[in-house]
Amino acid sequence: MYICNGVIPTLVGSRVKLCAMTTEHASALYQIWSHPEVTRWLGVPALSSIEETEQLIAFLSQMAQEEDSLRWSIVGPGGEVIGSCGYNYWQLQGAYRGEIGCDLAPALWGLGYMKEALGLVLNFGFNRMGLNRIEALCHPDNNRAERLVQTLGFQKEGILRQYRQTPSGFQDVTLHALLRGEWQ
Ligand SMILES: CC(C)(COP(=O)(O)OP(=O)(O)OC[C@H]1O[C@@H](n2cnc3c(N)ncnc32)[C@H](O)[C@@H]1OP(=O)(O)O)[C@@H](O)C(=O)NCCC(=O)NCCS
């Protein structure tokens, strides 16, 4: 639908650029996906090697090609990969709904890069993918993530109890959502 000749579109903002994820990004993404300050909020085990990171990138790229999910690498102002973001899941028929996910190198938190990156993701979701509702699921103590989605206009809708299985057991998440009619 949004892929032309197998090419994932690049989205360009003023400071960040969202690019198709490739194994060339493995080293930078490994630093982020193995960082305990990042993985604790995602409820996933930290990655333990570059090889494992390459396998995950290959899996995510395959899912993007099949239009089951869509995750970009975030390229910062210096041309380096500083994080990733996109849709963990989305569907049109019967719902027109997607769920965003994101992670940023902790050294760059508090500079507004993710707000800009997610702005591009939301624009693409509403205007190119045709979504009507975009959700974000956050760990209930993840204040940074909650602040981030609220500044983008998401409304908190409630708590989904024991929604995720994580290495430390079943975990609640807070559900936030933004509707097409509420976006800009
Ligand atoms: C969630 C996460 C991406 C948020 O990162 P962040 O740095 O807080 O978010 P942003 O990049 O949008 O930065 C926003 C902050 O930059 C500040 N800022 C500075 N310059 C800015 C600018 N030019 N534009 C916008 N904001 C700017 C904002 O005031 C805000 O500050 P605050 O933290 O004091 O409120 C990050 O904490 C992360 O990777 N966490 C681990 C993974 C995770 O939790 N993912 C989300 C799952 S739901």
Side-chain angles (χ1 to χ4, degrees), residues 41-167:
W41 298 121
L42 301 178
V44 296
L47 294 192
S48 57
S49 67
I50 300 265
E51 290 69 31
E52 211 182 342
T53 309
E54 286 172 348
Q55 285 166 11
L56 181 53
I57 290 171
F59 175 71
L60 291 171
S61 301
Q62 179 67 29
M63 300 269 282
Q65 288 297 331
E66 291 169 4
E67 301 197 342
D68 285 331
S69 68
L70 176 58
R71 201 158 189 111
W72 288 271
S73 289
I74 306 173
V75 176
E80 71 292 11
V81 171
I82 61 171
S84 78
C85 63
Y87 291 91
N88 298 332
Y89 153 89
W90 63 281
Q91 76 175 89
L92 293 183
Q93 296 307 319
Y96 291 82
R97 181 176 70 220
E99 180 202 313
I100 53 166
C102 65
D103 48 74
L104 188 69
L108 299 173
W109 291 3
L111 298 172
Y113 288 126
M114 192 55 84
K115 184 176 180 193
E116 185 185 329
L118 288 184
L120 296 169
V121 168
L122 296 174
N123 250 335
F124 191 80
F126 287 128
N127 297 327
R128 292 279 300 280
M129 295 164 76
L131 300 176
N132 177 62
R133 173 184 161 95
I134 298 178
E135 300 175 343
L137 303 181
C138 303
H139 185 293
D141 300 330
N142 193 348
N143 298 329
R144 269 191 180 276
E146 293 211 346
R147 214 157 51 228
L148 170 63
V149 296
Q150 277 165 16
T151 64
L152 287 161
F154 283 66
Q155 284 187 32
K156 185 170 176 177
E157 296 185 339
I159 295 181
L160 303 175
R161 295 177 306 146
Q162 299 196 359
Y163 193 73
R164 282 181 181 152
Q165 187 185 15
T166 75

